[in-house]
C-alpha cells in the first residue's frame, strides 16, 4: 500500500483483502460520508443511511481493519467516533486490468460514483430550493456530457491538467468562508463508433453531447469515499475519489 496524508493508493497484488472490503456498498457509503461530513459515530451514520447501529458498527470495524478509517477524538466516553484516514482512494487502472478481481472492483466503484452523482443532483436541487445556497451558485453549477475526439495522450494530459488546476484552486479557496463542498465527477471513457450495420445500430452512432449552450461544466459529482474523488496523478486514475460520497 502506497499512501500519504491525503491519498490511499490500492495495489491489486498486495491489497486484495482491502479491495474485497470496499466492494460492499454500505462500506463505500460509510467511507464517503466520513470523508464528506467529517467524524461520526456508528449511530449517527446509521441514522443517515437507514441501517441499524449494529450493521454500521460492524462495517466501520472492517474499514478500520484495512486502514481506510481510524478512531477520531471522542466527545465523550460513551461511543466511538470514526474518521476517514484519506480524502481519496486511488489505483492504477492498468494494474487493476490485469486481474478479474481488479476489473470487477473498478467497474463497481465507477457505478457507485454514478449513483453518487444522481444523489448529489437531488441534494443540490433540494438545497437550492430551500435557499441553503445563494443565487451566485446557479450559473457555475451544472453537468456536461461532451464527446471530444482525443488521443490517449491527450486524454492523459487532460486528466493531469484538471488535477493540477483543481489542486491550485482548492489551495486558493481553503480559507475562504464562501467555499463549499463541490461534487466533481469526471469521466473519460473512449467508445467505438458503430456503423449502421453493426450491432449497435444507428442509435448508437447518434448518441452525443446534450450539454446546452447556457450550461457550464460545474458541480458534477469520495464515498467518499470521496469518496470519495481528484481524478488523475501521473498515470494513476483516482476513480474512487470521495466515494463518496457514494
Amino acid at each position: 500500500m502506497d499512501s500519504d496524508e491525503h491519498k490511499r493508493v490500492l495495489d491489486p497484488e498486495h491489497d486484495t483483502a482491502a479491495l474485497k472490503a470496499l466492494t460492499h456498498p454500505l462500506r463505500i457509503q460509510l467511507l464517503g460520508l466520513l470523508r464528506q461530513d467529517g467524524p461520526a459515530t456508528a449511530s449517527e451514520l446509521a441514522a443517515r443511511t437507514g441501517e441499524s447501529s449494529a450493521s454500521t458498527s460492524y462495517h466501520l470495524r472492517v474499514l478500520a481493519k484495512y486502514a481506510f478509517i481510524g478512531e477520531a477524538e471522542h466527545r465523550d466516553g460513551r461511543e466511538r467516533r470514526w474518521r476517514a484516514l484519506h480524502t481519496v482512494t486511488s489505483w492504477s487502472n492498468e494494474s487493476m486490468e490485469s486481474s478479474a478481481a481488479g476489473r470487477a472492483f473498478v467497474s463497481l466503484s465507477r457505478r457507485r460514483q454514478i449513483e453518487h452523482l444522481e444523489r448529489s443532483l437531488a441534494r443540490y436541487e433540494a438545497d437550492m430550493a430551500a435557499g441553503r445556497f445563494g443565487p451566485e451558485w446557479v450559473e457555475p453549477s451544472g453537468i456536461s456530457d461532451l464527446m471530444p475526439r482525443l488521443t490517449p495522450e491527450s486524454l492523459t494530459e487532460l486528466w493531469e491538467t484538471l488535477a493540477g488546476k483543481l489542486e491550485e484552486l482548492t489551495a486558493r479557496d481553503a480559507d475562504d468562508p464562501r467555499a463549499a463542498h463541490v461534487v466533481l465527477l469526471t469521466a473519460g471513457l473512449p467508445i467505438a463508433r458503430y456503423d449502421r450495420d453493426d450491432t449497435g445500430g444507428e442509435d448508437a452512432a447518434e448518441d452525443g453531447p446534450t450539454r446546452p449552450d447556457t450550461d457550464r461544466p460545474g458541480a458534477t459529482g469520495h464515498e467518499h469515499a470521496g469518496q470519495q474523488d481528484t481524478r488523475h496523478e501521473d498515470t494513476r486514475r483516482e476513480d474512487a475519489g470521495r466515494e463518496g460520497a457514494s
Side-chain angles (χ1 to χ4, degrees), residues 197-235:
D197 295 335
D198 288 340
T199 304
E202 184 174 357
D203 290 343
E206 294 301 322
D207 281 347
T210 59
R211 174 175 175 258
D213 291 338
T214 57
D215 192 16
R216 296 180 183 175
T220 61
H222 339 166
E223 256 153 359
H224 54 258
Q227 52 117 13
Q228 296 119 310
D229 92 87
T230 58
R231 293 299 97 167
H232 200 287
E233 179 178 3
D234 298 327
T235 59

Side-chain angles (χ1 to χ4, degrees), residues 14-208:
H14 301 97
D15 295 316
T16 304
L19 284 172
K20 185 177 180 181
L22 268 191
T23 58
H24 194 286
L26 181 57
R27 289 173 200 156
I28 294 177
Q29 185 180 11
L30 293 173
L31 181 55
L33 288 172
L34 291 175
R35 286 177 171 174
Q36 177 175 288
D37 300 325
T41 66
S43 296
E44 291 168 343
L45 292 169
R48 297 181 204 174
T49 59
E51 299 286 334
S52 68
S53 295
S55 177
T56 56
S57 180
Y58 168 75
H59 290 295
L60 287 167
R61 290 196 301 272
V62 174
L63 289 171
K65 177 180 179 180
Y66 295 106
F68 289 105
I69 67 173
E71 288 195 43
E73 182 178 351
H74 302 308
R75 293 176 178 172
D76 55 49
R78 292 178 297 176
E79 192 167 15
R80 178 181 295 178
R81 295 180 63 79
W82 299 96
R83 65 181 180 90
L85 295 179
H86 307 92
T87 56
V88 294
T89 304
S90 67
W91 55 80
S92 162
N93 283 335
E94 186 175 4
S95 296
M96 289 294 187
E97 188 68 19
S98 64
S99 70
R103 291 192 297 271
F105 171 77
V106 172
S107 180
L108 174 65
S109 296
R110 290 172 175 170
R111 279 159 176 74
R112 292 298 174 190
Q113 288 174 313
I114 297 300
E115 294 171 4
H116 172 37
L117 176 57
E118 293 178 342
R119 288 194 298 272
S120 297
L121 175 58
R123 180 170 174 176
Y124 162 78
E125 292 173 338
D127 286 342
M128 293 301 291
R132 298 186 184 97
F133 288 102
E136 69 274 13
W137 285 99
V138 172
E139 186 65 21
S141 302
I143 298 173
S144 65
D145 60 344
L146 302 177
M147 294 183 65
R149 286 176 56 84
L150 299 173
T151 63
E153 294 78 16
S154 293
L155 182 56
T156 297
E157 182 180 343
L158 179 60
W159 284 117
E160 293 171 347
T161 301
L162 176 62
K165 189 63 177 180
L166 182 59
E167 183 177 357
E168 173 192 333
L169 295 175
T170 300
R172 188 184 74 182
D173 294 348
D175 298 323
D176 193 324
R178 300 172 303 146
H181 282 298
V182 174
V183 177
L184 182 67
L185 190 149
T186 53
L189 307 172
I191 56 174
R193 183 176 179 86
Y194 293 98
D195 293 329
R196 292 171 182 260
D197 295 335
D198 288 340
T199 304
E202 184 174 357
D203 290 343
E206 294 301 322
D207 281 347

